[in-house]
Amino acid sequence: MSDDPRHAGAASTVPVRQGIVDVDVHPGPASPDEIKQYMSMPWRDRYKGDRRSFYRHPVHGSRQDSVTAGVGPECSDPDLMRRQLLEEHGVAYAVLIMRTFCNIHPDPDYAAAIAAAFNEWLADTWLSKHNTDGAFRGSITIAQQDPAAAAEEIERWAGHPHIVQVTMDSGARAPFGQRYYYPIYEACERNGLPLAIHPGTEGMGINHQPTPGFPTRYIEWHCAMSLAFQAHLISFLTEGVFERFPGLKIVFVEGGVAWLAPLIWRLDSYWKSLRAEVPWVRKPPSEYLRDHLRLGTQPLERPDDDRQLLQVFEMMDAKHLLMFSSDYPHWDFDSPSRAFPKLPTEMRDAIFSDNARSLYELH
Amino acid sequence: MSDDPRHAGAASTVPVRQGIVDVDVHPGPASPDEIKQYMSMPWRDRYKGDRRSFYRHPVHGSRQDSVTAGVGPECSDPDLMRRQLLEEHGVAYAVLIMRTFCNIHPDPDYAAAIAAAFNEWLADTWLSKHNTDGAFRGSITIAQQDPAAAAEEIERWAGHPHIVQVTMDSGARAPFGQRYYYPIYEACERNGLPLAIHPGTEGMGINHQPTPGFPTRYIEWHCAMSLAFQAHLISFLTEGVFERFPGLKIVFVEGGVAWLAPLIWRLDSYWKSLRAEVPWVRKPPSEYLRDHLRLGTQPLERPDDDRQLLQVFEMMDAKHLLMFSSDYPHWDFDSPSRAFPKLPTEMRDAIFSDNARSLYELH
């Protein structure tokens, strides 16, 4: 991979940085033109950067202070982001996940072209000239529409020293345990890359809602995003994906976390009664989680009583499964110093740093 | 209503019975012919009692000991049910919910005809000659496809002394907070009848899946049923249904219970940030639950550690919201003596008896 000019800007070794790891940060281009230059025709003419959804935040979807006058929209300025996230909050590593919306399109070639152009843009900008200290770690975006093509895109980037994972959206046409997706999982496993699943395209374009029919407003649609993650997790586990791909690791980002224990109790109970239907699920579904699932914390559910959150953390094995995420620069940003109640030191270190360092080999 | 021959079999007053109240019991006819006799043409010719789904229990969906040789299929024999549920488990009242599958049909008239025929059958059989002690309390089945017709069906039965609620399935074409359904809620509120929502028709016929695409197998489909309830609850609360119908009470049956607190924490948090989008939601969504929502306990999620279930019960206000249900005669029957860990006496009395007696006025 070192001969590939695509990787020229990435340093091969940089010193390890001390501090928090934030596994959900969203850089974007200053304008769609930055992405278009990486596209061939006819996609270059077609792409307008459009992300319009029926479900829009009633005021604004991003922190208004993340916009740089004269540069571009939210989180298009690496220097501002470094000040607002890394310096202000002591974040050592920001795992970057681009919002491309490529999985809403019926045309698999167009979707793949969007994903590829964003990946090249990321490598040339945030992962290159703005990344001499290695604080930014990137996610390869893939389009689900053509899993074989997605696997090729994964191969194309897997050797990049600052690429730490693959990502795709939770909006989908089928639950993610289904065989259709297996070329993606095979490529992730072969290259040792976790797959991060991120919400935001539910019910858009060709994707189903994770609800019985269409929600009415943004608050409802946004709250129900956690249901897509619950459905995908049931599917991963009942289809036996982690038996077929024993090295696969999945990261759920922005899907909520407090639902995990109740769901897995329910699924474990059904597995006891119905395992004859899914003989490839060789142990209680709960026993796959520590080896195969991690969850970003934002937006963290917060009861009035902190004690209840700590109880939920214990039920869900949070010490091993959670990784801090801020969702910078979005409106519902979780601050590392404010989003959590006081945690036991060992748990705090695991969630804010150790779990992500281990998963992404940041050490 | 007393002049209506439909109500002739029902005693107007019977002594109060002591013991458990089971809010989810499923009587059925010995054969589809019992239902057809209540239908006019052309429905009588059309109806075959068919309930086939792509998602079927791999062995059998009901307790095999609930079938009476020479009488009919599971729970078609009131005497057997009295022995197996009421006598064996000390159940004083069984709230009957028929499984009609009427909401899967595209034709609203056919769906309404099925619902009406089942209601008449129930009134003539289980609520009449088999109910001299009043142990059986019935639910009016309605078809969602034509809410105005459903409201008429509610009016038709509301005065029956042994009818305690209305019921419809959670399988749906739209989340239940939407205005389309309001004639149903208005009729329920006007007549003081709770509305019980029961799963089993998700993804069948005209109904959407509560998942992003179709599940593969019964275990996945069955586990994901709880997602439909979560989606409907978000919809009820964000649409402001309980402000518009302050007397409306909803009962979630067979949808799981342990997901409630995490979901409502999430929704409360969004409400704080996004309430300008839904100004009709006048207080935190969690504050509507005690006045408007009850949940049947079966199938109760059971962690290995009983302490964790008790913590979840505290988080979700179980003492006020839960009502025991067994789901007799289905395969995943919850026994009153085995499904629960040891509960504090006051909580146990509330869940096994008091909450249902208060809701259904069984005192």
Side-chain angles (χ1 to χ4, degrees), chain A residues 60-68 73-75 80-81 83-85 88-89 326-336:
Chain A
H60 47 72
S62 292
R63 286 171 48 164
Q64 294 301 280
D65 67 348
S66 69
V67 176
T68 309
E74 68 279 5
C75 204
L80 179 63
M81 181 277 217
R83 287 197 303 277
Q84 290 187 332
L85 185 66
E88 185 175 333
H89 293 286
S326 73
D327 195 26
Y328 179 92
H330 290 150
W331 67 274
D332 48 351
F333 173 79
D334 269 356
S335 154

Side-chain angles (χ1 to χ4, degrees), chain B residues 239-252:
Chain B
E239 298 275 4
V241 169
F242 302 125
E243 288 287 345
R244 189 180 287 249
F245 303 102
L248 181 63
K249 293 178 192 298
I250 300 292
V251 183
F252 281 179

